[in-house]
Amino acid sequence: MSPTLAPVLAIDFGTSNTAAAIMEGGTVHRIPVEAGSDTLPTAVFFPARGGAMRMGEVAARALTGAEEGRYMRALKSVLGTPLMHESRLIAGRRRTLADVIAGFLAELRRRAEVAVGHGFTRVLSGRPVHFHSDPARDAQSEADLRACYHAAGFTEVAFMPEPEAAALACHGMGGAGETGLILDIGGGTSDFSVYRTEGGRVRILASHGIRLGGTDFDAALSLTHAMPLLGHGGQLRREMGPGLLPVPNAIYADLATWAHIPFVYTPENRRLARQMARLAVEPAPLERLVTVLTDELGHDLAFAVERGKIAANGGTGDNIAMGFIEPRLAAPISGPSLRDALQGHGRDLEEAVAETLSRAGVAAEGIGSVVLVGGSSLMGLVTDLAARMMPSARLHRSDAFTAVVDGLALATGEE
């Protein structure tokens, strides 16, 4: 088969989840890249004593099973940043995060090839409308991801904005000639497209995106709800002289950020935490911080915050369980406290939707359908925003985790 006719693998490489699909016989076929699932958590685990990198749910089970090693999640968020190419000692070998992402994509490619029975050298990848607001860093992010695909064995790499792919997959949810809005709220970015269906096809009127997603929601909730129980917002006595000092924020910000957690367990941070516990007006919370750093519990805490967020959003939970740090420790959380913590992010999303409508030249009243895409689109602040801004539009829930990859696969069939 000539290279120009080789099949194209569609990949939605997401901050939280990844999926792959192909077009075959005019139909989208999702590839089971995880046992029994069309999606794969974008997470890896490197065993401390060596061995193959583990991916997805297997990586998470290694972490929760207290196996010694390095767990990483939200890899996509480091694209375009200096972290991407910093060499670090990971499980006995020096690696960059570019190496880690390339390894993840190479294994994804291998699984896809095994599933369909032939090789892939061409890929159509989703990308956010903007990885970063800064154009230079945005361009660097795409260049970084392109290089990772090449390192994973793909010779031809193309990109398509994720909300445009979702529009291809979801336009049938509205009527012919209808104007719709895609709200794609992912793990690390939020993307928006206004589209119109014309003659059975989709025309994109405007797209826009901001660097804000579910991991940012988690960070905000962690800082406002969980981190105060570790001393965030507390006070320290001065070693010399009168007066008090605020507890520094840096360690808490890193512990609340999925991509930074693996790198927070440094001797300097542990030493600083012990010093703060000694000087704290209230020592007990800082002693818990010492425990988190000593026992490397940052990911356990991040998962607990994520579970608390999901439960509070669904009205089924009222706390963030932190008993792995100290018996019976829990941070109260409720629907109202969740909304208060995410209020600023809600305003950012509202401004971005308004900007997208403005670029499309479409009034809010002209939107007939709002299609929710991405795992974080299930948050109440997103559905509330859509109902408030476009009250006459019908709200559709797509397959939150596979709409983008379905659209990418459809796009490969339009060559």
Side-chain angles (χ1 to χ4, degrees), residues 46-128:
F46 292 93
R49 293 178 177 81
M53 178 184 78
R54 302 175 198 173
M55 292 169 47
E57 292 293 347
V58 176
R61 285 198 296 271
L63 174 72
T64 56
E67 184 174 342
E68 189 178 351
R70 179 68 64 87
Y71 178 85
M72 297 180 181
R73 187 178 171 187
L75 299 168
K76 186 177 178 180
S77 64
V78 303
L79 294 169
T81 72
L83 274 176
M84 184 73 177
H85 301 288
E86 289 182 8
S87 178
R88 298 175 182 272
L89 191 63
I90 301 174
R93 278 183 48 194
R94 297 207 71 84
R95 316 170 201 253
T96 65
L97 293 180
D99 297 330
V100 174
I101 293 173
F104 180 92
L105 294 173
E107 174 61 14
L108 185 73
R109 173 174 171 250
R110 187 196 69 79
R111 292 184 185 188
E113 290 176 341
V114 169
V116 303
H118 60 71
F120 290 103
T121 59
R122 305 170 67 202
V123 62
L124 177 63
S125 174
R127 59 150 290 165

Side-chain angles (χ1 to χ4, degrees), residues 306-318 333-336 338-339 378-381 383 397:
E306 185 178 51
R307 287 192 294 269
K309 174 191 73 175
I310 293 169
N313 183 65
T316 60
D318 59 4
I333 188 171
S334 64
L338 185 151
R339 287 192 294 273
L378 305 177
M379 293 293 292
L381 87 159
T383 54
R397 292 190 183 278

Side-chain angles (χ1 to χ4, degrees), residues 42 57 70 110 135 144 191 201 267 275 316 318 324 329 368:
T42 310
E57 292 293 347
R70 179 68 64 87
R110 187 196 69 79
D144 284 346
D191 293 309
R201 299 181 66 85
Q275 180 185 25
T316 60
D318 59 4
F324 51 88
L329 184 66

Side-chain angles (χ1 to χ4, degrees), residues 229 288 319-332:
L229 296 182
R288 296 177 191 134
N319 69 70
I320 297 169
M322 299 166 61
F324 51 88
I325 301 173
E326 178 183 292
R328 296 179 296 281
L329 184 66

